[in-house]
Amino acid sequence: MTTQSVGTRSFRKGAATYASAGGTACPSSSAISLRAGWTQPGVEDTYRRYDSAGDEHVCRVLTGLPMNGEELAILPPIFMPETEEDEAFIDECCKSTMDVNQANPGVARRCLASVVFHILKLREQLPPGHKLWADRTINNKQAMEKLRSLIFSGFQDNPLAMEANSCATGVPPHYALLRSMRIVKDQVAKLIPGVDEQLSQLPKLFRDALDEAIADGKLEGAPLTASNLERTVLRLLEESGLKDVPRLLQEGNTAHKTLPSDFYVPNMTLQKSWYHWMLGDEASGHRPWRLIQLCEVYDKKAPERLRRFRKIMLAIQESLQDNWNEVTTFDEAEKQFDSVKAAFQFAAKAGHKRRYGELRWDTVLRHKYKQTRST
């Protein structure tokens, strides 16, 4: 585009075209037409009226601010003097740059702040013979550096903007949401290093706690057993909000199949339940069910049922005491179960004992609680 292709009407036509088709979040056509001075016969001043909010939105777009990003809500450059000397220096520069007798002093300060803030871009776009370059203040390098150091440009949630009572106008509500999302994103980015550091300290914290428990011979007042230690560690991790850490710690470096979304602990005999607890099955990717965490199940009733299942399985582990260890075959799991099955037989009403092979895990859990309460 050359200067010959630009006419007096190009400013209005070009601006209206850009404002109405320059992005996917353009101002209303009515606000654009009213700003351009185009009449709307039949509806103007009756159904479609001028209002400052719509006009301010159009003006923000026409300044060249990106209309599809949070930057549309940015405040214009303003001077933020810190001392009376700074205030006097800004006033002196305004007087030497423009006729403040003809212009409002506040407008003059805003204009000078905008020129100083965009000086590099202006040097690229304006011709060398432009009269702006003949101004005494603009040609004074030291004065320009000091003026630039006193300028603020940012969003209205900035403390400096709040101190100056600066408020962005003509900003649609969704830009405020974009700004909020950016703030949250920045805050999360700042938190990540701290979280990484805390996670790196977890092994030391657990080691120190374990050393203390071994020295005392107890863990939170209970006997120091493998099952109590496991329960305490998992509970502390879940309470700290690191729900995925137990799963990651127990998985190690081995990948496994993700649980089905409808995973649910089924009804089965206690012995078969023990096999699943120690060895897993195809549905869990052959991962032992003792490694499944509550955060992995999504069915409404599945978490509570998994809690109950864990209670009876951990009771078997406690019964094994020193004989409990991780196994890899069904024969080894069967030997473990056979060594404690007698503790999970319960008498029927007629005085006969039901064989352990007939009892389901939830039935055994219920009888176990009754027996505990009676004793």
Side-chain angles (χ1 to χ4, degrees):
M1 179 180 292
T2 63
T3 54
Q4 287 75 19
S5 61
V6 178
T8 56
R9 302 182 65 183
S10 300
F11 294 102
R12 180 164 60 172
K13 289 184 177 180
T17 300
Y18 173 74
S20 60
T24 57
C26 300
S28 68
S29 59
S30 180
I32 295 172
S33 297
L34 291 171
R35 163 51 58 175
W38 294 327
T39 60
Q40 302 172 81
V43 294
E44 186 177 355
D45 294 333
T46 302
Y47 302 107
R48 297 184 178 181
R49 299 170 179 266
Y50 168 84
D51 191 270
S52 58
D55 189 59
E56 289 163 356
H57 185 195
V58 175
C59 294
R60 280 192 169 272
V61 170
L62 295 182
T63 59
L65 293 172
M67 67 176 74
N68 294 327
E70 61 169 335
E71 292 82 3
L72 185 76
I74 201 167
L75 292 169
I78 57 173
F79 287 117
M80 295 288 290
E82 298 179 358
T83 64
E84 293 183 359
E85 293 180 357
D86 293 338
E87 191 81 36
F89 175 74
I90 294 171
D91 290 339
E92 182 181 351
C93 291
C94 288
K95 291 178 182 179
S96 65
T97 304
M98 58 191 72
D99 187 0
V100 293
N101 295 323
Q102 300 295 329
N104 183 292
V107 175
R109 290 169 70 101
R110 293 272 183 162
C111 290
L112 181 59
S114 184
V115 170
V116 174
F117 186 80
H118 296 100
I119 191 64
L120 297 179
K121 192 67 174 179
L122 290 173
R123 291 191 184 278
E124 293 178 4
Q125 300 294 330
L126 296 180
H130 196 280
K131 64 179 182 179
L132 180 65
W133 310 133
D135 185 83
R136 185 177 62 182
T137 301
I138 301 300
N139 285 323
N140 189 329
K141 186 176 180 180
Q142 292 182 346
M144 291 294 288
E145 289 179 354
K146 184 174 182 178
L147 288 172
R148 189 169 183 84
S149 67
L150 299 175
I151 286 179
F152 164 77
S153 180
F155 295 92
Q156 65 180 19
D157 55 13
N158 188 290
L160 290 176
M162 296 178 181
E163 180 182 344
N165 292 324
S166 295
C167 180
T169 57
V171 181
H174 60 275
Y175 290 96
L177 295 177
L178 291 174
R179 176 63 181 164
S180 299
M181 291 171 64
R182 173 61 65 87
I183 293 174
V184 171
K185 180 181 178 181
D186 293 342
Q187 290 175 342
V188 171
K190 292 179 181 179
L191 287 175
I192 289 176
V195 173
D196 290 340
E197 182 179 356
Q198 291 180 0
L199 288 177
S200 66
Q201 295 176 358
L202 280 178
K204 182 179 183 303
L205 294 175
F206 285 138
R207 185 170 61 253
D208 294 344
L210 182 59
D211 291 342
E212 182 180 350
I214 292 174
D216 296 340
K218 291 185 178 182
L219 188 64
E220 295 185 345
L224 182 59
T225 63
S227 59
N228 285 339
L229 178 61
E230 179 186 9
R231 278 203 301 265
T232 302
V233 171
L234 295 180
R235 178 180 60 78
L236 292 174
L237 286 171
E238 289 189 1
E239 288 179 357
S240 66
L242 304 174
K243 295 183 178 180
D244 286 339
V245 172
R247 175 172 56 83
L248 296 175
L249 290 175
Q250 293 174 342
E251 288 174 11
N253 296 322
T254 58
H256 63 81
K257 181 179 177 182
T258 303
L259 289 178
S261 59
D262 59 347
F263 177 82
Y264 189 83
V265 179
N267 287 325
M268 51 186 165
T269 62
L270 187 63
Q271 184 172 7
K272 189 175 180 180
S273 300
W274 180 251
Y275 293 157
H276 284 74
W277 179 255
M278 297 300 296
L279 303 172
D281 64 349
E282 186 175 355
S284 62
H286 300 287
R287 176 173 43 140
W289 283 19
R290 67 178 185 276
L291 303 184
I292 297 176
Q293 301 301 312
L294 298 177
C295 59
E296 297 182 69
V297 293
Y298 301 99
D299 187 272
K300 186 176 181 180
K301 298 181 179 179
E304 179 58 31
R305 190 167 178 83
L306 181 59
R307 288 191 188 95
R308 291 172 55 81
F309 180 78
R310 288 179 61 84
K311 285 182 180 179
I312 189 61
M313 293 297 106
L314 290 173
I316 296 177
Q317 281 190 197
E318 291 180 0
S319 298
L320 287 168
Q321 297 181 355
D322 295 337
N323 293 326
W324 183 87
N325 63 294
E326 296 183 2
V327 299
T328 57
T329 65
F330 281 100
D331 290 340
E332 292 174 331
E334 185 176 11
K335 288 181 181 179
Q336 285 184 336
F337 186 81
D338 287 344
S339 66
V340 296
K341 65 183 181 182
F344 297 90
Q345 294 180 11
F346 300 96
K349 291 182 179 180
H352 303 289
K353 285 192 174 182
R354 300 173 61 185
R355 294 188 302 171
Y356 70 90
E358 299 176 354
L359 299 177
R360 296 180 177 179
W361 67 266
D362 52 346
T363 303
V364 175
L365 178 64
R366 188 167 56 254
H367 282 287
K368 191 73 174 175
Y369 273 136
K370 289 182 179 178
Q371 186 185 63
T372 303
R373 286 197 298 266
S374 62
T375 56

